[in-house]
Amino acid sequence: MLSVPEGLLIFVAVSESILGVLGNGFIGLAYCIERVKNKKFSTISFILMGLATSRICLIGLIATDGFVKIFSPEMYSSGYLIDCVTYSWVILNSSSVFFATSLSIFYFLKIANFSHHIFLWLRSDIKRVLLLLMGCLLISWLVTFPLTVKIISDTRAKNRSIIFSVEVHKGEFFRNQILLNLGTLLVFILCLITCILLLISLWRHNQRMLLNATGFRDPSTEAHIKAMKVLISFIILFILYFIGIIIEISCTTMSESKLLFIFGLTLTALYPWGHSFILILGNNKLKQVFLRVLKQLNCWKKEKLLRTP
């Protein structure tokens, strides 16, 4: 039986999951339609479509794993389901972080203004940088999958199971989790570094614009302030996402921690839907399409009410 706080947090987590699927589905569909209309596939379209697709799948996995652990933890006792969840998590989590990092690097190289020769060399060929990052993702998979197989095999041999309701040796469990997520953590750190560097560049540009201001706010200054707000929101959500994951993992080694686990689940689900709506509202093209869709839905609703006798 769930307590009131647990029930409220589950309701929030379900709402976040639904909004996340809708928001990311909208982004993926919008760029897919643009791809068909223009008959070309730009770098930003590839990144955003990949990000939206991986997040939709990740939301489904997070929701499934969370609800099984909360309501039917015995389903993990056979081992087959947890194997599927573990392998899917390795692919989807790393893919989602990879596309988010690719997006931050893309905007960093496009918008930031640094005179260092390394930055200028990277900016000269963004596609090469993204291909290199994709190669790192594939190498991470090649290293992580055999490690995952070994960890699962060793765990079964010792009659231990990584499930919500069973105590496991904390030191060994956390060591395994760090090894499994090491590649993702490194990419996460890279993403934070690029975001911070981009914030520094935007802040410097904004300070220069303010010094040269003539009494009214320049549109360029407005755009840079808006970009800084979007970046700060993204960084906060991204950090909360990893905090939520850490809480969920920690709860595996703790008894009587269902409320804390649900709280971690809520934090984890906050990032995929929150960032999708930040992208929609921060991108003029997506925002216009989103407003047109809302307008059409509103007109459709009014027509339906008029037809109702």
Side-chain angles (χ1 to χ4, degrees), residues 48-176:
L48 287 173
M49 286 179 65
L51 182 63
T53 304
S54 62
R55 279 182 177 169
I56 290 172
C57 298
L58 184 64
I59 289 169
L61 181 67
I62 291 172
T64 301
D65 178 59
F67 278 85
V68 168
K69 286 179 178 177
I70 293 169
F71 296 107
S72 301
E74 65 278 1
M75 290 179 65
Y76 277 151
S77 58
S78 64
Y80 296 108
L81 181 59
I82 198 170
D83 287 358
C84 293
V85 169
T86 303
Y87 294 134
S88 299
W89 171 257
V90 170
I91 294 174
L92 295 175
N93 183 50
S94 57
S95 298
S96 176
V97 174
F98 161 77
F99 282 113
T101 303
S102 299
L103 184 64
S104 67
I105 290 175
F106 178 84
Y107 284 130
F108 169 66
L109 295 177
K110 281 284 188 182
I111 300 174
N113 186 19
F114 292 102
S115 58
H116 198 280
H117 64 277
I118 295 178
F119 173 79
L120 297 175
W121 177 76
L122 292 172
R123 174 183 268 183
S124 64
D125 197 344
I126 296 177
K127 289 184 179 180
R128 184 189 300 171
V129 176
L130 296 178
L131 285 173
L132 179 63
L133 193 60
M134 185 175 291
C136 294
L137 174 66
L138 295 175
I139 292 172
S140 174
W141 284 349
L142 291 174
V143 173
T144 305
F145 269 102
L147 184 63
T148 304
V149 173
K150 183 179 183 301
I151 289 173
I152 292 175
S153 300
D154 291 346
T155 303
R156 284 179 177 169
K158 296 173 184 178
N159 294 320
R160 291 175 182 167
S161 184
I162 306 175
I163 59 174
F164 180 69
S165 59
V166 177
E167 289 286 338
V168 295
H169 190 268
K170 291 184 179 181
E172 180 183 358
F173 177 75
F174 284 115
R175 185 176 68 251
N176 291 340

Side-chain angles (χ1 to χ4, degrees), residues 6-20:
E6 290 171 351
L8 288 174
L9 285 175
I10 288 177
F11 173 77
V12 172
V14 171
S15 302
E16 289 173 344
S17 300
I18 294 171
L19 289 173

Side-chain angles (χ1 to χ4, degrees), residues 265-279:
L265 179 66
T266 306
L267 277 184
T268 305
L270 178 64
Y271 161 70
W273 84 263
H275 188 230
S276 66
F277 282 93
I278 288 174
L279 287 175

